[in-house]
Amino acid sequence: MAADTTTETPTTARPPRQAPAMDLQQLITDRDTRIVVCCGAGGVGKTTSSAALALAAAEAGRTVVVLTIDPARRLAQSLGLVELDNEPRRVDVPGAPGELHAMMLDMKRTFDDVVSAHSTPERAQQILENPFYQALSSSFSGTQEYMAMEKLGQLRASDQWDLIIVDTPPSRSALDFLDAPNRMGRFLDGTMIRLLMAPSRAGFKFASAGFLLFSRIVSKILGGQLLRDISAFVAALDTMFGGFRERATATYELLRRPGTWFVVVAAPEPDALREASYFVDRLSAEGMPLAGLVVNRTHPPATTTLSATRAEGAAEEVAESGGEGSELAAAALRVHAGRMQVAAREQHLADRFTSAHPEVAVRTVPAAAGDVHDLDGLRVMAEALTGPDGDTPTGTPRTRILPARRG
């Protein structure tokens, strides 16, 4: 999606039509809504959006927990907390009829908790002390996404919260947790795993000639100690494999059921909206419920009829006049022209997204004056996300207008 700096309003053959509106206030206050997943590219304000929605839900009377999988720790800062960890921490929201809790996924600790919860103490100790497990639980590809599924399933199974908001990691890997059940299945059913588990499952004392040959080959590739660590890990984890797959599959199905909604967050930039298109298409292919797109950090056009082109021309004329205050007036006109150009470019990009996805509801949020780092800042963000469409300071609708195609 190439950048476009067009400043003139396109001529249309028919009156402009409006993209579907997204009522996030209704979404978070509806008691049937139990899970909201915010996804999108990095650096678009997704974590802040998640925290703002969680705050709005708590102030509307919900008991809500917001879970971030993003290790950047921005959620704690925006909630005024020093840090977050793998256990929900209550955030003090004076006067709120509901409750707000926040937490950050600790991949290894979650894995350790799963092992301890579904093994005998002796078997759990064997697994936790295994060198291969320690590497797997800390950095193995796909472990974070699977553990996110585990943690979400644990939170949903608890009766403590009636709303869970998930802030996913940045980039396209944000949706990798949707693949967690299949990845786990492929891992458990893989040839190496089945061969490593064959002796213990068959119950014989001596391995077959085929397995010994396989073992020697793999030992040369991986090293004898690593192979022994993997074999010991697989043997110790054997009784838990079915539970891993079942829980991941149950959580995946939970994401598809009524009560779950996905909110895609993007900035009004070509790359971010391209990623948003990817998320929308992927969610559609998976049959996941999409609430809509939030276009964050937008710059609404000024409420004036002076176009960018006319403002640039007027700035040149004023500067050439050389009169008193001409430099200041010309500078003000150029600032206005720049704002109009940015707003027109953002409008054009949003319109292109909506043209490609006319069924997707769109909500715009204006750029904040500075970083959001406290509850007051989050309330401003929450109002922009959930407030009435026509109740904006500039009078610009929060739902983008899509110019109709020529017939």
Side-chain angles (χ1 to χ4, degrees), residues 22-260:
M22 177 166 48
D23 190 346
L24 287 173
Q25 179 67 21
Q26 174 63 27
L27 186 74
I28 62 174
T29 56
D30 186 350
R31 293 285 171 173
D32 291 334
T33 299
R34 303 301 302 275
I35 298 173
V36 175
V37 181
C38 294
C39 53
V44 298
K46 178 168 47 66
T47 298
T48 306
S49 298
S50 301
L53 287 174
L55 175 62
E59 294 187 328
R62 304 294 299 271
T63 302
V64 56
V65 58
V66 55
L67 164 67
T68 182
I69 309 173
D70 185 351
R73 302 184 184 275
R74 286 186 294 270
L75 180 61
Q77 296 172 1
S78 65
L79 293 170
L81 299 175
V82 176
E83 62 180 357
L84 292 173
D85 54 26
N86 208 47
E87 294 298 325
R89 293 191 178 192
R90 183 165 181 176
V91 179
D92 184 24
V93 185
E99 294 182 10
L100 174 58
H101 302 253
M103 62 183 298
M104 184 179 72
L105 179 72
D106 184 325
M107 180 175 65
K108 187 179 187 309
R109 183 175 170 186
T110 300
F111 209 155
D112 291 350
D113 290 344
V114 171
V115 169
S116 298
H118 298 280
S119 301
T120 63
E122 295 78 10
R123 183 63 59 87
Q125 184 176 0
Q126 292 177 5
I127 296 173
L128 296 175
E129 293 178 352
N130 184 281
F132 179 73
Y133 167 78
Q134 292 173 3
L136 174 73
S137 61
S138 300
S139 57
F140 195 74
S141 176
T143 304
Q144 183 187 56
E145 290 76 22
Y146 180 80
M147 288 304 123
M149 296 284 277
E150 283 278 356
K151 181 57 68 175
L152 176 58
Q154 293 171 12
L155 293 173
R156 184 63 182 86
S158 172
D159 294 330
Q160 186 173 354
W161 301 281
D162 57 30
L163 177 62
I164 303 166
I165 296 180
V166 181
D167 165 40
T168 60
S171 82
R172 293 189 177 188
S173 65
L175 287 178
D176 282 352
F177 67 91
L178 296 178
D179 294 327
N182 288 333
R183 285 187 177 185
M184 181 59 68
R186 288 194 298 269
F187 173 72
L188 301 183
D189 296 331
T191 301
M192 178 180 287
I193 294 298
R194 286 188 281 109
L195 285 172
L196 289 171
M197 295 174 67
S200 61
R201 282 181 169 174
F204 50 80
K205 188 174 183 180
F206 299 100
S208 66
F211 176 77
L212 291 176
L213 176 61
F214 165 80
S215 177
R216 285 196 295 271
I217 295 172
V218 175
S219 180
K220 290 180 180 179
I221 298 173
L222 301 180
Q225 185 58 51
L226 177 58
L227 179 60
R228 287 191 291 273
D229 291 339
I230 295 175
S231 299
F233 166 74
V234 169
L237 206 63
D238 187 11
T239 57
M240 297 178 59
F241 278 164
F244 275 118
R245 183 189 288 109
E246 290 172 4
R247 288 191 303 277
T249 301
T251 304
Y252 175 83
E253 292 301 323
L254 177 67
L255 293 174
R256 302 177 66 181
R257 291 207 299 263
T260 298

Side-chain angles (χ1 to χ4, degrees), residues 304-366:
T304 176
T305 58
L306 183 61
S307 68
T309 301
R310 292 176 60 189
E312 285 282 7
E316 292 298 327
E317 293 178 4
V318 171
E320 291 175 359
S321 70
E324 184 178 353
S326 59
E327 291 185 4
L328 182 60
L333 286 166
R334 291 192 182 100
V335 169
H336 173 79
R339 288 183 58 194
M340 295 294 288
Q341 289 172 348
V342 169
R345 174 178 174 273
E346 292 178 357
Q347 178 74 63
H348 177 74
L349 291 171
D351 290 346
R352 288 187 63 179
F353 174 90
T354 307
S355 180
H357 304 280
E359 76 288 351
V360 177
V362 178
R363 181 80 168 186
T364 62
V365 175

